[in-house]
Amino acid sequence: MEANTDKGTQKNKKKEKKNIRCHILFMPDDDAAEAKKLSVKAEILAAFFVAVVFLIIAALTYCVILSAELRSARQSNVELTAQISELTEENDLLLVENEELEEKVAILSDTVNDKVQQEEERAAEEAQSCIPSGFPLKGTAAYDENETELDGEPIAYFQVAQGTGVIATANGTVSSIAGTGSSGYIIMVDHGNGYFSVYRNGSKPKVSEGDEVTKATELFVIEEGQERLGYQIIQDNQYIDPLELMEIYG
């Protein structure tokens, strides 16, 4: 009987332990009011505190993580700001270099254009200098209008004074010298562009075959008894009227 009694006592103690409750007393500010009492099981209160602690820990952890992310974001922002500043400086430098290059290109383009224009003008002048459009005599002469052909080909005859120089009418090369003093000399100048100029006179030639001549080069000096000059122009193997090409004549 005593053993059974002991067992019953132990069970009651366990039940009492299991049924431990916590009492919370709320005291009002007004002394006349009654105090309120809240009874909560110890297990529930412990679970509540555990939950609160967990939430606090979670909140603190979140704050730590968020703070770290904010620091990282600030650092990234600082780095990006520095990169933007560097890129802006580089862009400014590139703009300055680009302006300098554009100025150099413009100067170079102007220089090239000037050189091209000068070359074109020089080429045009050289081309013009090889067209036999000049007057074949130094000084004045009388043109014979009654005799304008030789063997059916156009020719211009000029009466000139003794000592007058006969000059080439354009730049070129003496391609041939034919004839004699008694029959008269024929000097032919090749201008290298399809034009030939032909000079007929009995005076002694002052040039030789192969000589380079210009508009200032003397081919003859009119001697006594040789005061007549015959002048012809050939263009692309055809004789043409020299007066049509001549810029001035006396």
Side-chain angles (χ1 to χ4, degrees), residues 152-187:
E153 302 294 350
I155 189 171
Y157 283 107
F158 299 93
Q159 295 295 328
V160 294
Q162 180 183 347
T164 302
V166 177
I167 58 175
T169 54
N171 298 346
T173 305
V174 177
S175 58
S176 66
I177 299 176
T180 61
S182 58
S183 62
Y185 291 99
I186 302 173
I187 297 178

mmCIF file of all heavy atoms in Angstrom, residues 152-187:
data_model
loop_
_atom_site.group_PDB
_atom_site.id
_atom_site.type_symbol
_atom_site.label_atom_id
_atom_site.label_comp_id
_atom_site.label_asym_id
_atom_site.label_seq_id
_atom_site.Cartn_x
_atom_site.Cartn_y
_atom_site.Cartn_z
ATOM 1 N N GLY A 152 50.284 74.312 -151.945
ATOM 2 C CA GLY A 152 48.905 74.001 -151.557
ATOM 3 C C GLY A 152 48.665 73.994 -150.064
ATOM 4 O O GLY A 152 47.531 73.761 -149.623
ATOM 5 N N GLU A 153 49.695 74.262 -149.272
ATOM 6 C CA GLU A 153 49.532 74.265 -147.814
ATOM 7 C C GLU A 153 49.619 75.711 -147.315
ATOM 8 O O GLU A 153 50.365 76.534 -147.849
ATOM 9 C CB GLU A 153 50.622 73.425 -147.142
ATOM 10 C CG GLU A 153 50.664 71.978 -147.598
ATOM 11 C CD GLU A 153 49.415 71.195 -147.198
ATOM 12 O OE1 GLU A 153 48.605 71.704 -146.404
ATOM 13 O OE2 GLU A 153 49.241 70.059 -147.688
ATOM 14 N N PRO A 154 48.856 76.030 -146.242
ATOM 15 C CA PRO A 154 48.874 77.410 -145.730
ATOM 16 C C PRO A 154 50.238 77.790 -145.168
ATOM 17 O O PRO A 154 50.933 76.969 -144.546
ATOM 18 C CB PRO A 154 47.799 77.395 -144.641
ATOM 19 C CG PRO A 154 47.640 75.956 -144.256
ATOM 20 C CD PRO A 154 47.910 75.162 -145.491
ATOM 21 N N ILE A 155 50.619 79.063 -145.402
ATOM 22 C CA ILE A 155 51.884 79.588 -144.906
ATOM 23 C C ILE A 155 51.737 81.091 -144.706
ATOM 24 O O ILE A 155 50.882 81.733 -145.336
ATOM 25 C CB ILE A 155 53.040 79.284 -145.887
ATOM 26 C CG1 ILE A 155 54.396 79.636 -145.255
ATOM 27 C CG2 ILE A 155 52.823 80.017 -147.201
ATOM 28 C CD1 ILE A 155 55.589 79.163 -146.089
ATOM 29 N N ALA A 156 52.503 81.623 -143.769
ATOM 30 C CA ALA A 156 52.522 83.078 -143.563
ATOM 31 C C ALA A 156 53.912 83.582 -143.898
ATOM 32 O O ALA A 156 54.914 83.054 -143.398
ATOM 33 C CB ALA A 156 52.173 83.401 -142.114
ATOM 34 N N TYR A 157 53.991 84.630 -144.801
ATOM 35 C CA TYR A 157 55.269 85.235 -145.171
ATOM 36 C C TYR A 157 55.369 86.625 -144.534
ATOM 37 O O TYR A 157 54.399 87.402 -144.533
ATOM 38 C CB TYR A 157 55.372 85.361 -146.689
ATOM 39 C CG TYR A 157 55.689 84.052 -147.383
ATOM 40 C CD1 TYR A 157 54.714 83.379 -148.112
ATOM 41 C CD2 TYR A 157 56.973 83.506 -147.329
ATOM 42 C CE1 TYR A 157 55.002 82.180 -148.765
ATOM 43 C CE2 TYR A 157 57.269 82.312 -147.971
ATOM 44 C CZ TYR A 157 56.275 81.654 -148.681
ATOM 45 O OH TYR A 157 56.578 80.467 -149.318
ATOM 46 N N PHE A 158 56.550 86.866 -143.950
ATOM 47 C CA PHE A 158 56.789 88.156 -143.308
ATOM 48 C C PHE A 158 58.028 88.812 -143.923
ATOM 49 O O PHE A 158 59.045 88.141 -144.147
ATOM 50 C CB PHE A 158 57.012 87.981 -141.796
ATOM 51 C CG PHE A 158 55.838 87.387 -141.067
ATOM 52 C CD1 PHE A 158 55.752 86.011 -140.849
ATOM 53 C CD2 PHE A 158 54.811 88.191 -140.610
ATOM 54 C CE1 PHE A 158 54.673 85.464 -140.177
ATOM 55 C CE2 PHE A 158 53.741 87.653 -139.931
ATOM 56 C CZ PHE A 158 53.662 86.284 -139.714
ATOM 57 N N GLN A 159 57.917 90.104 -144.208
ATOM 58 C CA GLN A 159 59.065 90.897 -144.653
ATOM 59 C C GLN A 159 59.686 91.534 -143.409
ATOM 60 O O GLN A 159 59.005 92.240 -142.647
ATOM 61 C CB GLN A 159 58.614 91.977 -145.630
ATOM 62 C CG GLN A 159 58.063 91.444 -146.937
ATOM 63 C CD GLN A 159 59.124 90.716 -147.764
ATOM 64 O OE1 GLN A 159 60.312 91.066 -147.723
ATOM 65 N NE2 GLN A 159 58.711 89.699 -148.505
ATOM 66 N N VAL A 160 60.997 91.236 -143.192
ATOM 67 C CA VAL A 160 61.637 91.691 -141.957
ATOM 68 C C VAL A 160 62.945 92.407 -142.276
ATOM 69 O O VAL A 160 63.525 92.238 -143.356
ATOM 70 C CB VAL A 160 61.918 90.487 -141.018
ATOM 71 C CG1 VAL A 160 60.619 89.868 -140.544
ATOM 72 C CG2 VAL A 160 62.779 89.440 -141.704
ATOM 73 N N ALA A 161 63.419 93.162 -141.330
ATOM 74 C CA ALA A 161 64.660 93.912 -141.511
ATOM 75 C C ALA A 161 65.858 93.040 -141.170
ATOM 76 O O ALA A 161 65.776 92.097 -140.391
ATOM 77 C CB ALA A 161 64.639 95.151 -140.610
ATOM 78 N N GLN A 162 66.976 93.367 -141.805
ATOM 79 C CA GLN A 162 68.218 92.651 -141.526
ATOM 80 C C GLN A 162 68.574 92.795 -140.043
ATOM 81 O O GLN A 162 68.406 93.841 -139.438
ATOM 82 C CB GLN A 162 69.346 93.226 -142.399
ATOM 83 C CG GLN A 162 70.687 92.555 -142.184
ATOM 84 C CD GLN A 162 71.771 93.200 -143.013
ATOM 85 O OE1 GLN A 162 71.498 94.005 -143.931
ATOM 86 N NE2 GLN A 162 73.021 92.879 -142.723
ATOM 87 N N GLY A 163 69.073 91.709 -139.440
ATOM 88 C CA GLY A 163 69.452 91.708 -138.034
ATOM 89 C C GLY A 163 68.321 91.336 -137.085
ATOM 90 O O GLY A 163 68.533 91.222 -135.874
ATOM 91 N N THR A 164 67.103 91.154 -137.618
ATOM 92 C CA THR A 164 65.971 90.760 -136.775
ATOM 93 C C THR A 164 66.102 89.299 -136.382
ATOM 94 O O THR A 164 66.466 88.451 -137.206
ATOM 95 C CB THR A 164 64.635 90.982 -137.520
ATOM 96 O OG1 THR A 164 64.535 92.357 -137.889
ATOM 97 C CG2 THR A 164 63.458 90.579 -136.673
ATOM 98 N N GLY A 165 65.812 88.991 -135.150
ATOM 99 C CA GLY A 165 65.883 87.614 -134.687
ATOM 100 C C GLY A 165 64.601 86.855 -134.969
ATOM 101 O O GLY A 165 63.501 87.366 -134.783
ATOM 102 N N VAL A 166 64.759 85.610 -135.459
ATOM 103 C CA VAL A 166 63.619 84.704 -135.647
ATOM 104 C C VAL A 166 63.615 83.763 -134.443
ATOM 105 O O VAL A 166 64.619 83.091 -134.166
ATOM 106 C CB VAL A 166 63.752 83.901 -136.960
ATOM 107 C CG1 VAL A 166 62.592 82.917 -137.090
ATOM 108 C CG2 VAL A 166 63.819 84.842 -138.155
ATOM 109 N N ILE A 167 62.503 83.707 -133.733
ATOM 110 C CA ILE A 167 62.448 82.918 -132.496
ATOM 111 C C ILE A 167 61.377 81.832 -132.581
ATOM 112 O O ILE A 167 60.423 81.927 -133.367
ATOM 113 C CB ILE A 167 62.162 83.818 -131.269
ATOM 114 C CG1 ILE A 167 60.842 84.579 -131.466
ATOM 115 C CG2 ILE A 167 63.319 84.774 -131.025
ATOM 116 C CD1 ILE A 167 60.427 85.395 -130.261
ATOM 117 N N ALA A 168 61.583 80.805 -131.759
ATOM 118 C CA ALA A 168 60.573 79.737 -131.680
ATOM 119 C C ALA A 168 59.298 80.293 -131.062
ATOM 120 O O ALA A 168 59.337 81.160 -130.189
ATOM 121 C CB ALA A 168 61.111 78.586 -130.834
ATOM 122 N N THR A 169 58.163 79.807 -131.530
ATOM 123 C CA THR A 169 56.870 80.327 -131.052
ATOM 124 C C THR A 169 56.334 79.537 -129.854
ATOM 125 O O THR A 169 55.274 79.871 -129.323
ATOM 126 C CB THR A 169 55.841 80.293 -132.189
ATOM 127 O OG1 THR A 169 55.777 78.971 -132.739
ATOM 128 C CG2 THR A 169 56.221 81.263 -133.292
ATOM 129 N N ALA A 170 57.052 78.501 -129.410
ATOM 130 C CA ALA A 170 56.638 77.725 -128.229
ATOM 131 C C ALA A 170 57.801 76.832 -127.816
ATOM 132 O O ALA A 170 58.766 76.654 -128.565
ATOM 133 C CB ALA A 170 55.392 76.894 -128.521
ATOM 134 N N ASN A 171 57.703 76.272 -126.606
ATOM 135 C CA ASN A 171 58.730 75.346 -126.137
ATOM 136 C C ASN A 171 58.689 74.057 -126.947
ATOM 137 O O ASN A 171 57.616 73.595 -127.359
ATOM 138 C CB ASN A 171 58.504 75.011 -124.658
ATOM 139 C CG ASN A 171 58.611 76.214 -123.764
ATOM 140 O OD1 ASN A 171 59.110 77.263 -124.177
ATOM 141 N ND2 ASN A 171 58.147 76.079 -122.538
ATOM 142 N N GLY A 172 59.871 73.494 -127.175
ATOM 143 C CA GLY A 172 59.909 72.245 -127.921
ATOM 144 C C GLY A 172 61.337 71.803 -128.175
ATOM 145 O O GLY A 172 62.287 72.254 -127.519
ATOM 146 N N THR A 173 61.485 70.915 -129.160
ATOM 147 C CA THR A 173 62.785 70.356 -129.526
ATOM 148 C C THR A 173 62.979 70.486 -131.029
ATOM 149 O O THR A 173 62.051 70.195 -131.812
ATOM 150 C CB THR A 173 62.874 68.867 -129.133
ATOM 151 O OG1 THR A 173 62.590 68.728 -127.745
ATOM 152 C CG2 THR A 173 64.240 68.300 -129.435
ATOM 153 N N VAL A 174 64.162 70.916 -131.435
ATOM 154 C CA VAL A 174 64.447 70.999 -132.871
ATOM 155 C C VAL A 174 64.510 69.577 -133.417
ATOM 156 O O VAL A 174 65.408 68.803 -133.082
ATOM 157 C CB VAL A 174 65.776 71.729 -133.126
ATOM 158 C CG1 VAL A 174 66.096 71.742 -134.625
ATOM 159 C CG2 VAL A 174 65.719 73.157 -132.578
ATOM 160 N N SER A 175 63.515 69.236 -134.226
ATOM 161 C CA SER A 175 63.446 67.854 -134.741
ATOM 162 C C SER A 175 64.225 67.681 -136.038
ATOM 163 O O SER A 175 64.729 66.582 -136.319
ATOM 164 C CB SER A 175 61.983 67.452 -134.961
ATOM 165 O OG SER A 175 61.348 68.342 -135.862
ATOM 166 N N SER A 176 64.344 68.743 -136.850
ATOM 167 C CA SER A 176 65.099 68.603 -138.100
ATOM 168 C C SER A 176 65.519 69.979 -138.619
ATOM 169 O O SER A 176 64.857 70.982 -138.357
ATOM 170 C CB SER A 176 64.267 67.877 -139.168
ATOM 171 O OG SER A 176 63.152 68.669 -139.539
ATOM 172 N N ILE A 177 66.645 69.977 -139.342
ATOM 173 C CA ILE A 177 67.113 71.166 -140.062
ATOM 174 C C ILE A 177 67.503 70.698 -141.458
ATOM 175 O O ILE A 177 68.367 69.837 -141.613
ATOM 176 C CB ILE A 177 68.326 71.823 -139.369
ATOM 177 C CG1 ILE A 177 67.967 72.285 -137.951
ATOM 178 C CG2 ILE A 177 68.843 73.008 -140.191
ATOM 179 C CD1 ILE A 177 69.147 72.865 -137.176
ATOM 180 N N ALA A 178 66.822 71.261 -142.454
ATOM 181 C CA ALA A 178 67.080 70.845 -143.844
ATOM 182 C C ALA A 178 67.423 72.070 -144.690
ATOM 183 O O ALA A 178 67.193 73.211 -144.291
ATOM 184 C CB ALA A 178 65.857 70.130 -144.390
ATOM 185 N N GLY A 179 67.966 71.806 -145.905
ATOM 186 C CA GLY A 179 68.241 72.880 -146.853
ATOM 187 C C GLY A 179 69.674 73.388 -146.772
ATOM 188 O O GLY A 179 70.498 72.897 -146.005
ATOM 189 N N THR A 180 69.917 74.427 -147.605
ATOM 190 C CA THR A 180 71.253 75.048 -147.676
ATOM 191 C C THR A 180 71.076 76.555 -147.700
ATOM 192 O O THR A 180 69.961 77.073 -147.804
ATOM 193 C CB THR A 180 71.990 74.594 -148.940
ATOM 194 O OG1 THR A 180 71.240 75.014 -150.087
ATOM 195 C CG2 THR A 180 72.176 73.090 -148.971
ATOM 196 N N GLY A 181 72.217 77.251 -147.675
ATOM 197 C CA GLY A 181 72.159 78.701 -147.713
ATOM 198 C C GLY A 181 71.601 79.214 -149.023
ATOM 199 O O GLY A 181 70.909 80.221 -149.062
ATOM 200 N N SER A 182 71.903 78.511 -150.136
ATOM 201 C CA SER A 182 71.427 78.977 -151.441
ATOM 202 C C SER A 182 69.955 78.685 -151.646
ATOM 203 O O SER A 182 69.217 79.490 -152.216
ATOM 204 C CB SER A 182 72.253 78.317 -152.554
ATOM 205 O OG SER A 182 72.162 76.882 -152.452
ATOM 206 N N SER A 183 69.509 77.517 -151.174
ATOM 207 C CA SER A 183 68.096 77.148 -151.376
ATOM 208 C C SER A 183 67.215 77.577 -150.210
ATOM 209 O O SER A 183 65.989 77.624 -150.321
ATOM 210 C CB SER A 183 67.973 75.622 -151.547
ATOM 211 O OG SER A 183 68.426 74.945 -150.359
ATOM 212 N N GLY A 184 67.867 77.909 -149.063
ATOM 213 C CA GLY A 184 67.106 78.284 -147.869
ATOM 214 C C GLY A 184 67.055 77.133 -146.873
ATOM 215 O O GLY A 184 67.021 75.960 -147.248
ATOM 216 N N TYR A 185 67.059 77.490 -145.618
ATOM 217 C CA TYR A 185 66.987 76.471 -144.557
ATOM 218 C C TYR A 185 65.546 76.315 -144.066
ATOM 219 O O TYR A 185 64.757 77.263 -144.092
ATOM 220 C CB TYR A 185 67.873 76.871 -143.379
ATOM 221 C CG TYR A 185 69.350 76.822 -143.684
ATOM 222 C CD1 TYR A 185 70.046 77.998 -144.010
ATOM 223 C CD2 TYR A 185 70.051 75.624 -143.648
ATOM 224 C CE1 TYR A 185 71.401 77.960 -144.272
ATOM 225 C CE2 TYR A 185 71.427 75.596 -143.920
ATOM 226 C CZ TYR A 185 72.082 76.759 -144.225
ATOM 227 O OH TYR A 185 73.424 76.744 -144.500
ATOM 228 N N ILE A 186 65.270 75.081 -143.620
ATOM 229 C CA ILE A 186 63.959 74.790 -143.004
ATOM 230 C C ILE A 186 64.230 74.188 -141.627
ATOM 231 O O ILE A 186 64.813 73.118 -141.501
ATOM 232 C CB ILE A 186 63.136 73.792 -143.842
ATOM 233 C CG1 ILE A 186 62.921 74.343 -145.259
ATOM 234 C CG2 ILE A 186 61.800 73.507 -143.166
ATOM 235 C CD1 ILE A 186 62.268 73.323 -146.199
ATOM 236 N N ILE A 187 63.816 74.913 -140.609
ATOM 237 C CA ILE A 187 63.940 74.408 -139.231
ATOM 238 C C ILE A 187 62.554 73.974 -138.756
ATOM 239 O O ILE A 187 61.600 74.766 -138.813
ATOM 240 C CB ILE A 187 64.513 75.470 -138.287
ATOM 241 C CG1 ILE A 187 65.943 75.851 -138.699
ATOM 242 C CG2 ILE A 187 64.497 74.968 -136.838
ATOM 243 C CD1 ILE A 187 66.544 76.946 -137.829
#
